[in-house]
Amino acid sequence: MSIETSMDERRWVRACAVGEIPAGGGRQVTIDGVEIAVFRTSAGKIFAVVDRCPHKGGVLSEGIVAGERVVCPMHGWQIELQSGSAVAPDKGCVSKFPVDVRGEHVYLDVTPSDSSVVPEGALTSRRPIVCDHEAPLLEVTRASERVVALSADDLRARYAVRDVPTYVTTMMFGFSRPVQWSGVRLCDVLEDVGGDALGATVTLHAGGTERALSRRHAIDPRTMLVFEMNGAPLAPEHGGPLRLVAPFLAGHESVKRLARIELCGAAISEPVLSAPVARKESA
Ligand code: FES
């Protein structure tokens, strides 16, 4: 929730907690419909600019932070976070916002002014990620018969949500940037829905494709069902709304846009879903 304060008729709005910005990375917040990239350098300085590259609108919050610059993930322009200007020979400028860190909280001055006004066209035009928390996100089946369908709310309520900090490599430029996945352990879900009767594999269905996952990998506590990235619903381009993340598997084996898990092996007993829990833990 945004908290607003007024000092000298300036409008300061709480953007996020300091700890919600990965060190040496960025995250996106939305204030008054404007997507803003908030960065924390490895030296701990915090900057905020409109989350749109002045070149062709790349999402700057998904770029890599190097010193006090961010490298746009689209075509590699570098933007000075202090000034919002593109580094020569590129030309362009992105609107920036004064930042005030109050304890653990990051406030942005969103008062329209010459330096912080959001130019026309900078308001979000990308379709927001709509997350219907109550719609089934994952179906678990056995012999193609539904065992259970779980929404995002179900996953949150029934299993401990865990954060997994990691690095994602941007193929085009070959650099890595820190991201934080959030989700639940696959083994917790399987335990609920009859994992005691798992066969040698489970089958992961995503769109029209399917991939077998060995029982050993399925019950490994590092295997996660992820539905958030950097605190926001997982976007389709990152494999959302639900994907597998397993650090010991090749990238292409971490199934994206996961919709169904088929259990192999005969059921011994009716699945007994656990009581909802409300906690968040590190993986
Ligand atoms: S959109 Fe950012 S460099 Fe092209």
Side-chain angles (χ1 to χ4, degrees):
M1 182 195 309
S2 296
I3 299 172
E4 298 192 20
T5 63
S6 183
M7 290 190 324
D8 301 329
E9 299 184 1
R10 305 210 64 82
R11 183 166 172 250
W12 291 89
V13 175
R14 181 186 178 278
C16 59
V18 172
E20 291 173 333
I21 314 168
R27 63 161 294 158
Q28 186 185 81
V29 300
T30 302
I31 297 175
D32 295 345
V34 179
E35 293 173 346
I36 300 172
V38 186
F39 298 100
R40 178 156 62 123
T41 69
S42 52
K45 292 180 76 172
I46 294 178
F47 298 96
V49 299
V50 169
D51 199 5
R52 176 170 292 192
C53 177
H55 180 214
K56 291 189 176 177
V59 182
L60 293 174
S61 59
E62 296 182 0
I64 191 167
V65 175
E68 295 190 0
R69 294 176 178 175
V70 61
V71 182
C72 176
M74 286 276 279
H75 310 100
W77 278 31
Q78 294 185 41
I79 308 297
E80 294 279 9
L81 295 175
Q82 186 73 256
S83 65
S85 300
V87 174
D90 299 316
K91 290 188 172 68
C93 189
V94 64
S95 298
K96 57 192 173 59
F97 297 86
V99 173
D100 188 20
V101 178
R102 305 176 192 173
E104 285 302 305
H105 304 284
V106 177
Y107 281 75
L108 305 183
D109 180 355
V110 294
T111 312
S113 69
D114 287 347
S115 62
S116 66
V117 68
V118 178
E120 194 167 351
L123 287 174
T124 176
S125 62
R126 289 188 295 278
R127 213 177 64 193
I129 301 167
V130 177
C131 183
D132 182 347
H133 295 278
E134 295 180 1
L137 196 62
L138 175 69
E139 189 180 25
V140 181
T141 58
R142 186 188 300 277
S144 298
E145 293 291 322
R146 175 183 285 186
V147 176
V148 68
L150 296 164
S151 66
D153 278 356
D154 291 332
L155 291 172
R156 288 177 183 286
R158 296 187 178 285
Y159 313 109
V161 176
R162 298 161 192 273
D163 295 330
V164 184
T166 188
Y167 285 82
V168 167
T169 299
T170 301
M171 299 302 289
M172 187 179 299
F173 303 107
F175 57 65
S176 296
R177 60 190 172 86
V179 301
Q180 180 162 283
W181 304 115
S182 298
V184 300
R185 299 192 309 194
L186 175 58
C187 62
D188 290 343
V189 177
L190 294 178
E191 187 180 1
D192 250 6
V193 297
D196 54 341
L198 272 187
T201 62
V202 297
T203 308
L204 308 175
H205 295 259
T209 65
E210 60 181 63
R211 177 175 291 278
L213 184 69
S214 72
R215 182 180 195 281
R216 181 168 62 90
H217 287 157
I219 63 173
D220 189 304
R222 295 171 296 170
T223 304
M224 300 284 296
L225 297 172
V226 164
F227 44 75
E228 279 187 7
M229 186 176 116
N230 294 339
L234 193 60
E237 59 265 35
H238 298 300
L242 184 72
R243 64 167 293 173
L244 197 78
V245 169
F248 44 81
L249 294 180
H252 69 277
E253 293 181 280
S254 286
V255 173
K256 301 175 178 65
R257 291 172 279 281
L258 177 62
R260 180 162 73 91
I261 297 176
E262 168 76 10
L263 304 175
C264 307
I268 293 174
S269 57
E270 286 295 306
V272 180
L273 291 179
S274 62
V277 296
R279 59 186 193 274
K280 189 160 187 168
E281 301 174 357
S282 294

